[in-house]
């Protein structure tokens, strides 16, 4: 297995990992490319054997050898109320007994959409799909149809799913595999995508000067979270709003990670900037496969069958996902966000102290319960600065934390996801572990 021996395993865990988990990995290796169904799970950016997880509860997961880990992967975003929250489990179980999907509208779709629109009023109308990728793909198609223009501008290090046209200078797994873009994307498709530096309005203006009337939309993660967490510079989102409006282009906020995460109303509520279209995923499905896109009702009226933009899905608005989503959103009250903010702030401060105590070059970037420790003196402001961080140092840190039974996302350019179930004691344990893991 590539990467399996990059970081030697030590102690008791090495002995057990040679048993049950190893056997599952062997079987998975024979079935899936790289042994996984999504690239980052292969641990190639950090080395070590990828875990096989059999169970989760609250902030904890258990691997196939029965080893308990404190989890900051959080399934890469959906699990803001932790693993197997009893209310989510009950909602899904009850719905499963009622059957579905039905190939017809069912009440759960209406109930979840009403909750979403209440939190994000800019989504005047919306449509459910089955993944964040699909939501983005559909929003781009709509933007092109609405403007009669073909070009899309995105930011270096921004990840918007594996949409063909957006696999250029993308973050997430693409970045940590050091692929500039994916093979198999026709040049004609990639050339419809323009790139700008995140947090650099001059770069966006330059694109509009060069391609002005051709740009259908600018798509942005309003808090970049797929190159590690990189907050928007003050005024950046406001400026993007103004520039796109001035040029007749749409502004799309990809809130697949930030929606219901950095605030109940997402980044658009946190920063007070409203896009034309929004894409959602992750939290709104409570861990089940879901995505949504929506926005101005005049734009959404272009979607079939009310308009000419085709978009459909056998499993769209799946009753199980709607049930999990509603149960999750119902848990997300102001107290919960306050608690998440407070716990995450303690984690941030503790990591900063640990960095200082160890005398190493590192920094912490955080927005709400999204956090990244960068092995770089100051928090990066764009993808170039992200790439200056020391990936080998992160790999060593990741392995040391894993030896302390703390699972961090297995790449330096991913966010850690704090959940509402991480207790003060969990956070303290994490800081204590980091203190020794960061020793040079
Ligand atoms: N947009 C953003 C901002 C994301 O973080 C992701 C996934 N990490 C996607 C889109 C794609 O979502 P999915 O993996 O559900 O297709």
């Amino acid at each position: 297995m590539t990467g399996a021996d990059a970081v030697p395993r030590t102690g008791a865990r090495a002995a057990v990992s040679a048993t049950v988990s190893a056997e599952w990995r062997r079987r998975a290796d024979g079935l899936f490319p790289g042994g996984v169904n999504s690239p980052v799970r292969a641990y190639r950016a950090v080395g070590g054997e990828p875990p096989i997880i059999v169970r989760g509860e609250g902030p904890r997961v258990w691997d196939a050898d029965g080893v308990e880990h404190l989890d900051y992967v959080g399934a890469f975003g959906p699990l803001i109320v932790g693993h197997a929250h009893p209310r989510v489990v009950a909602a899904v179980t009850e719905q499963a007994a009622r059957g579905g999907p039905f190939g017809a509208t069912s009440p759960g779709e209406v109930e979840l959409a009403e909750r979403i629109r209440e939190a994000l009023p800019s989504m005047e109308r919306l449509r459910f799909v089955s993944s964040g990728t699909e939501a983005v793909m559909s929003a781009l198609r709509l933007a092109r149809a609405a403007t009669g223009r073909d070009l899309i501008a995105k930011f270096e290090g921004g990840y918007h799913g594996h949409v063909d046209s957006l696999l250029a200078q993308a973050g997430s797994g693409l970045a940590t595999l050091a692929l500039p873009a994916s093979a198999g994307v026709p040049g004609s498709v990639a050339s419809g995508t323009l790139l700008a530096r995140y947090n650099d309005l001059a770069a966006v203006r330059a694109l509009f000067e060069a391609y002005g009337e051709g740009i259908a939309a600018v798509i942005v993660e309003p808090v970049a979270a797929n190159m590690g967490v990189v907050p928007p510079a003050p005024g950046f989102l406001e400026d993007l709003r103004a520039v796109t409006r001035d040029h007749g282009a749409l502004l799309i906020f990809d809130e697949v990670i930030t929606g219901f995460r950095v605030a109940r109303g997402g980044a658009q509520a946190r920063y007070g900037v409203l896009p034309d279209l929004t894409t959602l995923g992750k939290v709104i499905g409570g861990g089940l496969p879901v995505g949504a896109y929506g926005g101005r009702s005049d734009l959404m009226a272009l979607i079939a069958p009310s308009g000419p933009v085709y978009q459909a899905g056998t499993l769209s608005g799946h009753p199980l996902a709607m049930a999990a989503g509603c149960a999750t959103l119902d848990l997300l009250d102001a107290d919960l966000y306050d608690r998440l903010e407070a716990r995450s702030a303690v984690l941030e401060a503790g990591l900063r102290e640990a960095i200082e105590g160890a005398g190493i070059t590192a920094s912490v970037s955080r927005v709400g319960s999204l956090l990244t420790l960068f092995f770089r003196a100051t928090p990066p402001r764009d993808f170039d600065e992200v790439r200056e961080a020391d990936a080998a140092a992160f790999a060593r840190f990741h392995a040391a934390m894993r030896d302390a039974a703390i699972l961090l996302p297995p790449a330096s350019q991913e966010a850690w996801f704090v959940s509402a179930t991480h207790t003060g004691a969990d956070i303290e344990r994490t800081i204590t572990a980091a203190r020794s893991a960061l020793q040079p």
Side-chain angles (χ1 to χ4, degrees):
M1 192 185 316
T2 306
D5 45 12
V7 179
R9 317 294 313 149
T10 52
R13 283 176 15 78
V16 288
S17 75
T19 58
V20 186
S21 293
E23 177 58 13
W24 282 116
R25 274 191 293 271
R26 190 189 63 74
R27 288 167 65 180
D29 268 349
L31 292 163
F32 311 121
V36 292
N37 283 301
S38 198
V40 73
R41 299 178 197 171
Y43 270 49
R44 299 220 174 157
V46 291
E49 296 155 348
I52 304 290
I53 305 293
V54 296
R55 188 168 81 81
E57 192 183 314
R60 270 163 260 286
V61 292
W62 284 263
D63 68 26
D65 298 300
V67 178
E68 179 184 314
H69 309 257
L70 184 58
D71 179 38
Y72 287 96
V73 181
F76 293 100
L79 303 181
I80 193 167
V81 297
H83 293 270
H85 191 287
R87 299 265 284 275
V88 178
V89 172
V92 170
T93 309
E94 281 162 27
Q95 182 56 50
R98 287 196 290 270
F102 307 109
T105 298
S106 62
E109 295 161 60
V110 176
E111 287 170 353
L112 184 58
E114 285 175 350
R115 284 165 172 76
I116 291 172
R117 187 169 62 180
E118 205 188 332
L120 293 91
S122 78
M123 297 181 80
E124 294 169 357
R125 294 211 168 206
L126 58 151
R127 178 59 70 80
F128 287 116
V129 290
S130 297
S131 68
T133 296
E134 257 188 281
V136 168
M137 193 179 74
S138 311
L140 297 185
R141 186 181 303 144
L142 171 56
R144 291 190 172 107
T147 57
R149 302 172 177 185
D150 285 345
L151 299 173
I152 301 290
K154 77 176 281 283
F155 293 93
E156 291 159 8
Y159 179 71
H160 305 286
H162 62 99
V163 182
D164 269 352
S165 60
L166 297 188
L167 288 176
Q169 291 280 318
S172 194
L174 212 62
T176 48
L177 289 172
L179 299 175
S182 172
V185 175
S188 56
V189 172
S191 64
T193 304
L194 307 171
L195 287 164
R197 189 196 299 253
Y198 187 71
N199 275 333
D200 181 354
L201 194 76
V204 179
R205 281 196 201 288
L207 286 183
F208 274 105
E209 268 154 37
Y211 301 96
E213 298 309 296
I215 300 176
V218 173
I219 184 165
V220 63
E221 292 179 71
V223 174
N226 280 293
M227 48 173 148
V229 177
V230 182
F236 179 61
L237 298 176
E238 288 86 343
D239 288 344
L240 273 185
R241 177 64 283 182
V243 173
T244 46
R245 189 175 283 138
D246 289 351
H247 289 86
L250 300 182
L251 179 60
I252 305 175
F253 276 4
D254 182 350
E255 299 231 38
V256 166
I257 284 184
T258 53
F260 291 90
R261 167 65 69 174
V262 300
R264 187 169 167 92
Q268 53 197 270
R270 191 170 175 123
Y271 297 97
V273 178
L274 299 183
D276 300 295
L277 293 172
T278 299
T279 53
L280 295 172
K282 306 214 187 231
V283 172
I284 63 160
L288 271 74
V290 84
Y293 68 100
R296 279 167 36 199
S297 46
D298 62 311
L299 298 174
M300 292 304 288
L302 297 173
I303 301 293
S306 57
V309 180
Y310 194 70
Q311 182 274 306
T314 304
L315 299 178
S316 294
H318 196 292
L320 294 181
M322 301 296 107
C326 283
T328 299
L329 299 198
D330 287 349
L331 291 162
L332 304 181
D333 57 18
D335 281 355
L336 180 138
Y337 285 105
D338 288 348
R339 202 165 66 238
L340 261 182
E341 180 71 36
R343 296 263 155 79
S344 305
V346 171
L347 179 57
E348 176 189 2
L351 291 173
R352 286 231 167 91
E353 268 171 44
I355 289 165
E356 269 169 41
I360 56 160
T361 301
S363 54
V364 184
S365 192
R366 179 180 74 84
V367 177
S369 54
L370 300 172
L371 178 148
T372 300
L373 192 156
F374 289 102
F375 285 85
R376 184 182 187 284
T378 54
R381 291 162 298 183
D382 58 45
F383 197 34
D384 285 339
E385 293 191 351
V386 163
R387 283 183 290 200
E388 288 167 10
D390 183 342
F394 180 82
R396 287 190 298 274
F397 174 62
H398 185 276
M401 292 296 276
R402 191 178 176 189
D403 282 341
I406 295 174
L407 270 192
L408 301 178
S412 55
Q413 298 175 8
E414 301 279 356
W416 309 10
F417 295 93
V418 180
S419 84
T421 55
H422 286 86
T423 63
D426 291 330
I427 300 289
E428 285 309 321
R429 196 187 125 202
T430 307
I431 294 167
T432 304
R435 229 173 259 140
S436 64
L438 288 170
Q439 288 306 318

